[in-house]
């Protein structure tokens, strides 16, 4: 079970890191979508920092069980917030955020089961 936890946690950490890099480098495919759903431009780096912290928490959580659980819960909350932001803006492109939320739930379940 731990091998599955390791693989899923690393994959989610990589996805979070790639997403954070897109925000911090102001990738033209990322910034307009964030502005469209109502994220103020000056708050975008903070979303990236949260993603980086989530990624680090997932990786540290492979060694320190409670940190992994807390990080997974935080990532789930982050992406639920993202889905809500898309829905409030009537943006139908919320599937990536929803998919990552589901994947974070999988990581949480695996982390709990492999304790």
């Amino acid at each position: 079970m731990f091998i599955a936890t390791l693989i899923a946690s690393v994959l989610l950490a990589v996805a979070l890191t790639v997403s954070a890099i897109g925000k911090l480098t102001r990738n033209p495919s990322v910034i307009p979508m964030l502005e469209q759903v109502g994220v103020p431009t000056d708050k975008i780096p903070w979303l990236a920092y949260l993603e980086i912290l989530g990624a680090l928490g997932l990786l540290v959580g492979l060694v320190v069980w409670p940190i992994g659980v807390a990080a997974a819960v935080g990532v789930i909350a982050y992406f639920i917030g993202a889905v809500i932001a898309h829905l409030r803006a009537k943006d139908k492109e919320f599937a990536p955020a929803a998919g990552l939320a589901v994947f974070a739930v999988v990581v949480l379940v695996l982390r709990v089961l492999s304790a």
Side-chain angles (χ1 to χ4, degrees):
M1 187 64 70
F2 184 75
I3 299 294
T5 304
L6 173 71
I7 292 168
S9 296
V10 169
L11 288 175
L12 184 55
V14 168
L16 289 167
T17 303
V18 169
S19 178
I21 290 169
K23 289 174 180 68
L24 291 173
T25 60
R26 305 194 57 74
N27 185 312
S29 66
V30 174
I31 301 304
M33 181 270 307
L34 290 168
E35 291 172 342
Q36 178 181 335
V37 297
V39 177
T41 306
D42 64 325
K43 303 294 187 236
I44 293 172
W46 290 102
L47 294 177
Y49 303 147
L50 289 173
E51 289 175 324
I52 292 167
L53 286 173
L56 290 172
L58 290 170
L59 297 177
V60 171
L62 292 168
V63 178
V64 183
W65 183 85
I67 292 177
V69 170
V73 169
V75 172
I76 292 166
Y78 177 91
F79 284 112
I80 288 174
V83 169
I84 291 169
H86 282 276
L87 293 175
R88 289 179 71 196
K90 296 183 180 13
D91 179 25
K92 297 183 194 256
E93 299 296 322
F94 61 88
L100 287 168
V102 170
F103 192 50
V105 169
V106 170
V107 169
L108 175 62
V109 170
L110 288 171
R111 181 68 271 193
V112 169
L113 293 177
S114 67

